Amino acid sequence: MAASFDLERAAAIGEKLNEVDMARVFAVIATVLAWCLLSGPPVAAKRAADPFVSPEAIQHWMKNYRAQPEPHLLPAAVKAMSRLGVFREIDSAGIYFGFVAGVIGSNPRQAETLVAEMFPLPPEDQIVIVRAIAWSGLPDWQAMMSLFVEKMPARRILIERHLFGKLPGLMDLPLDDNPAGIDALWGYYYGSGSALPIKRLIATLGWSLERDEVDKLTAGNMIKLTLAVNATRDLELLAIIRRQVIHQPKATAAPLAEVIEAAETYETARLRKTALTAISDLRQKGSATKRNVSFWGQVGTTALALGCVAASVMGQVQFGLPCIVGGATATAALKVYTLDK
């Protein structure tokens, strides 16, 4: 009887201890849950919820946007761009301006709402809203711009110059001395898939044969190289380029054929070599109409941009040309495509 009593007593004590342990476990769980509710979601969850934690993350989103359009995320992306400072260097922000314009222009029914949700935005960064509206290509962009004038008093002069036609639209930007304009056209393509900016770029390919003006020679070869490199990664872009062949004048047809050949055979290195040789010849001999030493002094840093673009594609500077052009090169269009998915 004593043994039986001891066993029953031990079992009862064990059950009691289990109840106490379980109570402690539940108390700990309740405490953890309460702490999570008070402190918000874990860091990992926050990061997962925010796709725009870095400039690289934004560029990944831009790169893949046409495959999976998410225009509703544009306001959050613009605010992240502002927070991360991508608008601080205007000359290197062209791809972002163009992208925002492309998304707005390709979503006319949502355009006003998308712009409204970009506010509040620091006055110094509101240039992206002004240019995106003006460059959107929407038939009623002036009316839309007027809706947001009061929210951007610091940008009133810029707004008025766009409204009164004192500043060019995106498709009319000069490209021979404006690499940021080249990037803006690429940005519009990334955000819309429209063939218009590609047609605009193709129309300048004759500059790649320029022998007098170094700015045009450099810009033409920048455009030629970016078209070829990006077309190796984008079949839709390659299709757009192919469709333009029959519409080209003689001066543009030959360079465009080289772009297509390089894209289809993945031989873009040949384009880089040809371009660098042309710039080197112009550097050594000067303009075909101004064969003098002082001509090279007019080149400035723009002519070095092509070397930087070529080096960025290879992932290293190996051509002996110093990359001293800051951000004002067409490298942004290439950076978007060279990012891993």
Side-chain angles (χ1 to χ4, degrees), residues 171 185 188 194-201:
M171 302 303 164
L185 289 168
Y188 194 96
S194 170
L196 288 177
I198 305 304
K199 292 179 181 179
R200 174 76 175 96
L201 292 170

Side-chain angles (χ1 to χ4, degrees), residues 51-75:
F52 309 121
V53 296
S54 68
E56 292 76 19
I58 293 173
Q59 291 174 6
H60 273 294
W61 182 67
M62 292 168 58
K63 173 184 176 181
N64 298 308
Y65 178 84
R66 285 178 300 110
Q68 186 178 354
E70 298 175 306
H72 65 282
L73 293 180
L74 183 65

Side-chain angles (χ1 to χ4, degrees), residues 27-324:
V28 171
I29 292 175
T31 301
V32 172
L33 289 174
W35 175 255
C36 289
L37 290 174
L38 290 173
S39 62
V43 173
K46 288 182 179 179
R47 289 177 178 171
D50 183 4
F52 309 121
V53 296
S54 68
E56 292 76 19
I58 293 173
Q59 291 174 6
H60 273 294
W61 182 67
M62 292 168 58
K63 173 184 176 181
N64 298 308
Y65 178 84
R66 285 178 300 110
Q68 186 178 354
E70 298 175 306
H72 65 282
L73 293 180
L74 183 65
V78 169
K79 290 180 179 180
M81 293 173 191
S82 174
R83 183 179 71 251
L84 295 167
V86 302
F87 303 133
R88 290 173 190 166
E89 295 292 335
I90 300 298
D91 289 338
S92 61
I95 197 165
Y96 300 104
F97 295 150
F99 179 82
V100 178
V103 175
I104 291 174
S106 58
N107 292 277
R109 294 184 180 179
Q110 304 176 52
E112 184 178 328
T113 299
L114 292 174
V115 173
E117 291 178 355
M118 293 177 193
F119 293 95
L121 206 64
E124 62 270 21
D125 290 341
Q126 290 171 359
I127 182 176
V128 65
I129 296 178
V130 177
R131 286 190 174 175
I133 296 174
W135 292 353
S136 66
L138 293 172
D140 58 346
W141 71 266
Q142 293 96 334
M144 180 187 287
M145 186 80 82
S146 300
L147 293 175
F148 298 101
V149 171
E150 297 303 322
K151 289 191 174 185
M152 298 184 289
R155 304 275 73 86
R156 183 175 292 274
I157 293 177
L158 181 64
I159 291 172
E160 290 177 351
R161 288 183 178 177
H162 276 294
L163 288 175
F164 294 111
K166 295 182 179 180
L167 288 175
L170 176 59
M171 302 303 164
D172 298 315
L173 287 175
L175 303 180
D176 54 341
D177 61 350
N178 183 17
I182 298 173
D183 277 345
L185 289 168
W186 277 111
Y188 194 96
Y189 170 72
Y190 297 154
S192 67
S194 170
L196 288 177
I198 305 304
K199 292 179 181 179
R200 174 76 175 96
L201 292 170
I202 289 174
T204 67
L205 284 177
W207 293 348
S208 65
L209 304 175
E210 178 64 40
R211 291 297 176 266
D212 285 332
E213 299 181 46
V214 73
D215 284 345
K216 286 186 176 180
L217 173 64
T218 303
N221 279 288
M222 276 185 179
I223 292 167
K224 189 175 180 181
L225 182 61
T226 52
L227 283 169
V229 172
N230 290 343
T232 63
R233 300 164 165 84
D234 186 340
L235 293 180
E236 292 180 11
L237 173 60
L238 183 56
I240 291 174
I241 294 173
R242 284 172 176 162
R243 288 196 293 269
Q244 299 310 308
V245 172
I246 62 174
H247 304 293
Q248 301 309 307
K250 184 178 180 180
T252 308
L256 183 58
E258 292 180 11
V259 168
I260 295 173
E261 175 71 14
E264 290 179 336
T265 61
Y266 289 79
E267 292 183 357
T268 56
R270 180 169 51 83
L271 294 186
R272 288 194 294 272
K273 182 177 179 181
T274 300
L276 291 169
T277 299
I279 288 181
S280 178
D281 287 346
L282 194 56
R283 177 179 180 179
Q284 294 173 7
K285 300 176 183 179
S287 167
T289 57
K290 297 180 180 180
R291 301 290 187 185
N292 58 70
V293 177
S294 64
F295 172 78
W296 188 244
Q298 302 171 24
V299 174
T301 59
T302 304
L304 300 178
L306 183 65
C308 298
V309 174
S312 72
V313 178
M314 299 297 293
Q316 58 184 337
V317 178
Q318 61 180 15
F319 299 108
L321 295 176
C323 292
I324 58 174

